[in-house]
Amino acid sequence: YQREWFTRLDNTFQLRYRTLYPLGDLIYLKPSGTGEPPTVINALHTAEIGLNTRFAYKEKYVAGDFARVSLGTSYPIVELHLATGLPNLGTREYGYQKIVAHVYQRLQLGTFGWMRLNAEAGKIWGSLPYPLLILHSGNETFYDDDLAFNTMNYFEFISDRYAQLFMEHHFDGLLFNRIPLLRRLKWRELVEAKAVVGSLDLEKTEKEMLLLPGMYSLNHGPYVEVAAGVENILKVLTVEGLWRLRYNDHPYTKRFSLRLKLFLNF
């Protein structure tokens, strides 16, 4: 249920039921705590009630009969999500509380181009198995994902509290326009940085479910990656080189990698 109190401020009320099944070779295992072999969990059942608040000062829209598209705003867009698990509703098993705050802003910087900032922080209270905690978004494909850590493996890091910042700066030819050949090609330079700090109560989590091999907490410090790239190649293609700056001792990781992205900028 969504209610817009006035233009640019709305609340969304959610009631969500979920059943999570392990697929493929994945097995959910719960420690017995008595020296016996772990117990196999066939599925996880949750029920959650949530409230999301979104405020975007002076946001503009293009509206149709049934939908509208945001044209953005020069001011920060703020979202706050609150949720609680309902362990006594039917066969649902887990009680918890969750809060996530998100701030997004696009900054126009004149001749220096433009910058996009995404900041997010959250915390979960409760004793939960890892699929219900914060699984930080990794990316093992060749396609660059704006909302993921592109040098992080899938399921590599997990937290019950975290704060992250994504920053990307598009120079719009500030440097390349001074080089005749690159000016004619209309290539554009960009840089990115992504970082996340977090923590995990391993004792509580592993009481509910064993972690997967190759799954880690951020208890030893932040994860950081940086990137530099060229966009507007053939008008649509972006190529980026990415450097992973921390946790390089983890298996199956690379300090440097390349990513491609299709990006249309009008």
Side-chain angles (χ1 to χ4, degrees):
Y1 174 80
Q2 185 178 36
R3 173 66 183 265
E4 186 174 48
W5 300 98
F6 54 86
T7 305
R8 305 172 190 93
L9 174 65
D10 64 73
N11 283 122
T12 303
F13 174 80
Q14 300 171 328
L15 180 60
R16 182 168 67 162
Y17 296 86
R18 289 192 297 168
T19 301
L20 282 69
Y21 298 98
L23 298 179
D25 296 331
L26 179 63
I27 301 175
Y28 291 159
L29 295 175
K30 182 171 183 174
S32 63
T34 61
E36 299 294 325
T39 304
V40 175
I41 301 174
N42 295 321
L44 300 175
H45 307 281
T46 68
E48 179 181 290
I49 186 171
L51 178 66
N52 193 76
T53 302
R54 183 180 185 274
F55 178 66
Y57 183 61
K58 292 190 175 180
E59 185 177 32
K60 296 181 179 180
Y61 300 95
V62 174
D65 293 334
F66 299 102
R68 63 185 182 183
V69 177
S70 172
L71 297 179
T73 172
S74 59
Y75 296 90
I77 298 174
V78 180
E79 290 191 63
L80 179 65
H81 180 70
L82 305 173
T84 185
L86 305 173
N88 298 319
L89 189 61
T91 61
R92 274 51 198 175
E93 301 168 296
Y94 298 101
Y96 57 90
Q97 293 76 44
K98 177 167 60 176
I99 180 171
V100 177
H102 179 258
V103 179
Y104 167 83
Q105 186 170 17
R106 174 172 169 149
L107 300 171
Q108 291 296 147
L109 302 174
T111 57
F112 293 96
W114 58 278
M115 179 182 294
R116 183 159 53 193
L117 298 172
N118 265 297
E120 186 174 291
K123 179 174 171 60
I124 296 177
W125 292 267
S127 185
L128 296 174
Y130 71 80
L132 302 181
L133 296 175
I134 306 298
L135 291 166
H136 299 290
S137 299
N139 180 21
E140 297 179 29
T141 71
F142 288 104
Y143 188 81
D144 185 86
D145 187 343
D146 288 338
L147 300 179
F149 293 93
N150 289 292
T151 59
M152 182 188 293
N153 292 334
Y154 298 132
F155 301 104
E156 185 177 357
F157 289 99
I158 179 175
S159 300
D160 55 25
R161 68 181 75 183
Y162 73 102
Q164 67 184 32
L165 176 65
F166 291 3
M167 183 280 292
E168 60 182 84
H169 186 88
H170 300 253
F171 290 95
D172 279 351
L174 177 66
L175 304 176
F176 284 179
N177 283 345
R178 290 169 168 76
I179 303 172
L181 176 59
L182 296 181
R183 183 171 64 244
R184 293 184 65 181
L185 292 173
K186 296 184 179 179
W187 289 0
R188 301 289 182 256
E189 61 276 44
L190 69 111
V191 294
E192 290 185 7
K194 297 180 179 180
V196 57
V197 296
S199 64
L200 176 67
D201 189 330
L202 284 168
E203 185 177 347
K204 281 200 307 185
T205 301
E206 293 197 316
K207 220 186 271 185
E208 299 292 338
M209 185 179 292
L210 295 177
L211 298 184
L212 298 175
M215 182 176 280
Y216 305 90
S217 71
L218 289 164
N219 292 346
H220 299 294
Y223 178 91
V224 182
E225 68 181 31
V226 295
V230 179
E231 60 184 352
N232 204 43
I233 301 172
L234 302 177
K235 306 295 185 182
V236 296
L237 184 64
T238 299
V239 179
E240 291 187 13
L242 300 105
W243 290 266
R244 176 175 168 135
L245 301 185
R246 302 209 64 217
Y247 296 98
N248 291 313
D249 57 332
H250 289 183
Y252 311 110
T253 61
K254 297 179 180 179
R255 291 177 181 268
F256 176 79
S257 57
L258 290 173
R259 293 287 187 273
L260 305 177
K261 178 172 62 177
L262 296 177
F263 180 73
L264 300 176
N265 186 24
F266 299 100

